C-alpha cells in the first residue's frame, strides 16, 4: 500500500532528529533508567559531567555525582509521584565538575522506565554559601561596616553643623567653601546610609501582599517619571496568591528593576508578568524539603542586554555599566529579595532581558 513508505521514513527519521535536537540544546540533559543508570547524555551534559557518552552511558549516576547530592532525591520523588519536579539553586559538587549552582527539572519517564533530568546553570544572588567560614567572614565585615557607618555619622553631623554656623558670618568666597563642606558631608552620609541598608539583618515585617497592586503602583510611578516614553505591557496571572512580603520593600524591588529596564531601553517596551509555579523551591543543602517559592514575577525589556563584563557581578554593590549609574539598584534588589527568602536572577540577550523574582506565598488566612 502507498502508506508503507512514508511510515518507515517517519519511524527512522525522528529518532535521529530527536538526538541532534537534544545535542543542540545548551542545557545538559541526562536520562536515567529505573536502576539509576545513565541511558542518555546530550552534548551539553557530556561537557558538564566532563566525560564522553561512551564513558558515561551505563554508569550509575551516584558514581558520578555523590550520593548526598539533592539530585538523587529529586529523581526518586519524581519517579515515586509520577510528576515533574523542579528545584532552584541546587549546589552540585563533584571532583570532576567542581561546585556548580543549577536549577534542576526532573520528569519521570512513562511506565517506570526512569527519569529525564535537565540542568540549567544559574547566576543567582543567593549563591548558597559554599564555605561557612566565608559566610562568617562576610558577616563580620558587615558588622564592622555597620559600626563604622554608625560611628562616622555622628562626627559628620558635628562638622556639618559647624560649617553651617561659619556660613553666617562668612564672606562670599568663604561661603563657597562652607557650602562645599556641607555638600560633601551630605554625600558621605548618603553613602553610609546605603552601606547601613546592606548590613541591616533584622527580620522584616511581613503580611500578605497583592503583588499586582504593587506592580501597578510601580508602573504608575514609573510612567509619571523616568519611564514617561515607554510602553508598558502586563501579563498577570489573575489567580496569583498573595506574597508573604513587605509592601514597601516589594515596591522598591520592582521600582529598581523597572528603572533599569527603562534606562536600558529608551522609548522601549517594558513587560511585567506574574505566574504561579508550585514546583519552585529553594534547596538548602541538608535542610530537608527547602523553601517553597511559587510566585514568579518578571520584568522584561527590549534593550541591548546586560554587558558581558558585568554578568558575574551584576548584583554586587557599585557595579555599573552606565555613565551615571551608581550600581546600587540591583544590590538593593538582591538584599530585599533575600530578606523575603526569595531568589532573583536574570537572563539577557540583545532585545530581551528578563529579571525574574521568585517569592514565597502567604499562608491562607494571613501569615
Ligand atoms: N535591564 C537591563 N538591561 C541591561 N543592563 C542592565 C539592566 N539592568 C541592569 N543593567 C546593568 O547593570 C548595572 C547595575 O545596575 P544597578 O541597578 O545595580 O545600578 P545602576 O542602574 O547603574 O545605578 P542605580 O544605583 O542608580 O540603580 C547597570 O549599570 C547596567 O549596566
Ligand atoms: Mg539601577
Amino acid at each position: 500500500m502507498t502508506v508503507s513508505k512514508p511510515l518507515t521514513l517517519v519511524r527512522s527519521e525522528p529518532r535521529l532528529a530527536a538526538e541532534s535536537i537534544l545535542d543542540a540544546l545548551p542545557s545538559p540533559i541526562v536520562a536515567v533508567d529505573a536502576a539509576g543508570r545513565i541511558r542518555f547524555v546530550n552534548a551539553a551534559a557530556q561537557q558538564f559531567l566532563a566525560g564522553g557518552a561512551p564513558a558515561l552511558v551505563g554508569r550509575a549516576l551516584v558514581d558520578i555525582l555523590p550520593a548526598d547530592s539533592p539530585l538523587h532525591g529529586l529523581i526518586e520523588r519524581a519517579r515515586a509521584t509520577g510528576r515533574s519536579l523542579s528545584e532552584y539553586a541546587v549546589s552540585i559538587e563533584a571532583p570532576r565538575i567542581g561546585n556548580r549552582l543549577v536549577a534542576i527539572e526532573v520528569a519521570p519517564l512513562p511506565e517506570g522506565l526512569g527519569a529525564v533530568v535537565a540542568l540549567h546553570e544559574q547566576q543567582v544572588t543567593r549563591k548558597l554559601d559554599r564555605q561557612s567560614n566565608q559566610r562568617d567572614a562576610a558577616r563580620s565585615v558587615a558588622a564592622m561596616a555597620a559600626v563604622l557607618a554608625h560611628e562616622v555619622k555622628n562626627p559628620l553631623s558635628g562638622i556639618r553643623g559647624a560649617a553651617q554656623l561659619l556660613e553666617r558670618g562668612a564672606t562670599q568666597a568663604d561661603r563657597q567653601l562652607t557650602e562645599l563642606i556641607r555638600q560633601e558631608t551630605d554625600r558621605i552620609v548618603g553613602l553610609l546610609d546605603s552601606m547601613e541598608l546592606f548590613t541591616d539583618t533584622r527580620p522584616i515585617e511581613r503580611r500578605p501582599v497583592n503583588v499586582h497592586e504593587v506592580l501597578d503602583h510601580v508602573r504608575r510611578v514609573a510612567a509619571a517619571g523616568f519611564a514617561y516614553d515607554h510602553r508598558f505591557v502586563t501579563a498577570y496571572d489573575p489567580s496569583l496568591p498573595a506574597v508573604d512580603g513587605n509592601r514597601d520593600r516589594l515596591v522598591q524591588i520592582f521600582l529598581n528593576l523597572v528603572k533599569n529596564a527603562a534606562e536600558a531601553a529608551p522609548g522601549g517596551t517594558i513587560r511585567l508578568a506574574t505566574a504561579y509555579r508550585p514546583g519552585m523551591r529553594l534547596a538548602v543543602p541538608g535542610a530537608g524539603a527547602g523553601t517553597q517559592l511559587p510566585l514568579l514575577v518578571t520584568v522584561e525589556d527590549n534593550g541591548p542586554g546586560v554587558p558581558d563584563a558585568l554578568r558575574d557581578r551584576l548584583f554586587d554593590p557599585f557595579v555599573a555599566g552606565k555613565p551615571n549609574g551608581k550600581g546600587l539598584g540591583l544590590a538593593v534588589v538582591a538584599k530585599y529579595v533575600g530578606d523575603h527568602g526569595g531568589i532573583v536572577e536574570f537572563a539577557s540577550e540583545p532585545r530581551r532581558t528578563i529579571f525574574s523574582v521568585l517569592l514565597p506565598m502567604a499562608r491562607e488566612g494571613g501569615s
Side-chain angles (χ1 to χ4, degrees):
M1 276 202 359
T2 45
V3 287
S4 64
K5 199 171 169 217
L7 263 182
T8 45
L9 272 179
V10 167
R11 206 174 276 158
S12 64
E13 275 194 349
R15 258 185 73 80
L16 266 179
E19 267 180 35
S20 42
I21 289 167
L22 288 169
D23 277 341
L25 285 176
S27 302
I29 310 276
V30 179
V32 291
D33 65 15
R37 279 180 207 291
I38 297 176
R39 302 314 305 218
F40 172 79
V41 274
N42 72 346
Q46 292 169 38
Q47 204 172 16
F48 185 87
L49 297 171
L56 292 168
V57 171
R59 285 185 65 187
L61 193 60
V62 280
D63 289 347
I64 294 162
L65 299 174
D68 63 353
S69 167
L71 176 62
H72 303 299
L74 211 60
I75 294 176
E76 274 311 301
R77 277 213 305 283
R79 291 195 52 227
T81 58
R83 285 176 34 204
S84 301
L85 293 171
S86 42
E87 197 141 319
Y88 253 75
V90 180
S91 156
I92 287 196
E93 195 167 2
R96 274 154 46 135
I97 63 171
N99 190 334
R100 316 273 278 266
L101 198 65
V102 292
I104 303 179
E105 285 173 290
V106 183
L109 290 170
E111 295 161 25
L113 282 177
V116 55
V117 179
L119 304 173
H120 306 284
E121 279 212 70
Q122 287 190 292
Q123 286 162 313
V124 300
T125 58
R126 280 187 55 162
K127 291 214 166 148
L128 294 162
D129 297 320
R130 283 151 203 169
Q131 284 145 9
S132 59
N133 55 357
Q134 201 176 323
R135 195 163 37 204
D136 291 346
R139 224 179 266 145
S140 58
V141 169
M144 216 168 73
V147 171
L148 193 71
H150 186 256
E151 291 309 306
V152 170
K153 266 164 74 175
N154 284 336
L156 272 181
S157 70
I159 293 171
R160 192 183 192 285
Q164 241 169 340
L165 282 177
L166 281 176
E167 217 165 73
R168 291 193 192 150
T171 62
Q172 187 63 29
D174 285 348
R175 193 165 295 156
Q176 275 182 1
L177 294 176
T178 53
E179 232 165 68
L180 193 77
I181 296 174
R182 270 199 297 119
Q183 280 167 3
E184 289 302 284
T185 45
D186 285 350
R187 205 168 58 82
I188 300 172
V189 169
L191 208 61
L192 294 171
D193 282 343
S194 52
M195 219 163 93
E196 278 181 322
L197 183 144
F198 295 114
T199 56
D200 185 357
T201 53
R202 287 171 299 178
I204 52 168
E205 236 179 76
R206 285 155 80 158
R207 50 172 57 98
V209 179
N210 176 345
V211 84
H212 295 148
E213 189 274 319
V214 168
L215 292 175
D216 283 337
H217 174 75
V218 166
R219 185 164 52 98
R220 275 195 302 274
V221 172
F226 57 81
Y228 64 92
D229 66 345
H230 293 70
R231 196 168 77 91
F232 279 90
V233 177
T234 53
Y236 295 164
D237 174 349
S239 66
L240 198 78
V243 178
D244 179 24
N246 179 295
R247 185 180 181 275
D248 290 346
R249 295 207 173 184
L250 290 168
V251 166
Q252 196 63 51
I253 290 169
F254 295 110
L255 206 52
N256 288 4
L257 291 178
V258 168
K259 185 156 179 281
N260 281 347
E263 288 165 354
T269 301
I270 300 171
R271 184 171 183 272
L272 305 174
T274 62
Y276 183 56
R277 295 278 157 78
M280 290 302 183
R281 303 188 323 156
L282 178 69
V284 181
T291 320
Q292 298 275 359
L293 298 172
L295 308 188
L296 172 67
V297 186
T298 54
V299 177
E300 181 180 333
D301 68 71
N302 56 354
V306 172
D308 280 344
L310 303 187
R311 281 172 185 258
D312 292 341
R313 304 172 293 133
L314 202 66
F315 293 96
D316 290 349
F318 309 115
V319 170
K322 48 196 171 208
N324 294 322
K326 287 208 201 82
L328 283 175
L330 288 178
V332 170
V333 168
K335 163 78 170 83
Y336 285 179
V337 171
D339 288 344
H340 284 84
I343 288 183
V344 53
E345 60 176 355
F346 71 95
S348 181
E349 59 185 80
R351 301 199 53 76
R352 190 155 184 257
T353 296
I354 306 180
F355 280 82
S356 308
V357 179
L358 286 164
L359 293 165
M361 179 175 109
R363 270 176 283 146
E364 256 167 61
S367 57

